[in-house]
Amino acid sequence: MMKTRTAFGVIAASAAALTLAACGNNQNSENAAPTADPATSTPAPAPSMAPTEDIVVAASTAPDFTTLTAAIQSAGLAQRLSSPGPFTVFAPTNAAFDKIPAADRNALMQPAMKADLTKILTYHVVPGRLVAADLAAQAAANNGTATLTTVQGGKLTLRDAGGGKWEITDAKGGKATITMADQARTNGVVHVIDTVLMP
């Protein structure tokens, strides 16, 4: 099932930013995870220790998320991620950001593009704490797909792609794969992805 490892991104920081004001406690049944069915869920092994760092602190020291960290800083959202949440973050790696043409990436980091950058970053954050088993249970209860509402307001569709991989489809039809799941933090959970999602 989904690979679990400890290292993830700060993108939650961005999404958390907008989530705080409007989505602090999401009551949307769409995101309420049903009880996992042992036959279809993908439980993650219990961590040996409880997490001691929030999403921002953990991401700021992860070498695979320097681009995401810079984006969070450019959008002015990092400080928000220290809030209690909880948040579920789909965090793109540096390699995921490298798939975007350099000119477009650089443009997004400019002050004039702050609103667009914020929209993209918050599209990667879902209110609540949804671990891999929750996502699998939602998909099992909905004909193989789980639909989540992001802090940005758009939808993400997740499905089991087979071979232990989960695929996320964004609003533009783009696809990302979860490469590491269930990165626990004090204020949420992070799932590492290989492609930036676009609202």
Side-chain angles (χ1 to χ4, degrees):
M1 304 316 207
M2 290 193 241
K3 288 164 54 181
T4 303
R5 196 172 74 189
T6 48
F8 58 64
V10 170
I11 186 157
S14 63
L18 297 184
T19 305
L20 300 178
C23 304
N25 189 7
N26 189 339
Q27 297 299 321
N28 187 335
S29 60
E30 210 169 31
N31 294 346
T35 304
D37 177 352
T40 58
S41 63
T42 309
S48 56
M49 295 186 296
T52 58
E53 299 174 325
D54 64 30
I55 294 166
V56 173
V57 172
S60 66
T61 60
D64 287 340
F65 298 97
T66 56
T67 304
L68 180 59
T69 301
I72 297 307
Q73 295 295 334
S74 294
L77 300 171
Q79 195 169 20
R80 303 284 187 141
L81 232 247
S82 59
S83 70
F87 308 107
T88 297
V89 176
F90 297 99
T93 61
N94 290 344
F97 277 100
D98 286 345
K99 293 179 181 180
I100 300 172
D104 294 339
R105 279 199 321 270
N106 293 336
L108 277 171
M109 298 295 193
Q110 301 308 310
M113 298 293 286
K114 183 175 180 178
D116 291 333
L117 180 59
T118 298
K119 183 177 179 182
I120 292 170
L121 293 176
T122 55
Y123 186 61
H124 289 74
V125 179
V126 174
R129 184 187 302 263
L130 296 174
V131 297
D134 299 323
L135 299 174
Q138 285 197 31
N142 293 287
N143 298 316
T145 62
T147 301
L148 308 178
T149 300
T150 69
V151 170
Q152 179 269 340
K155 307 281 188 187
L156 294 174
T157 304
L158 289 80
R159 72 175 185 87
D160 186 343
K165 295 185 181 285
W166 280 80
E167 182 179 82
I168 306 172
T169 302
D170 64 25
K172 295 189 181 301
K175 299 188 185 302
T177 299
I178 297 176
T179 59
M180 288 181 281
D182 295 349
Q183 306 304 299
R185 290 298 177 258
T186 57
N187 60 341
V189 61
V190 173
H191 303 294
V192 179
I193 58 176
D194 63 359
T195 304
V196 176
L197 303 166
M198 292 295 177

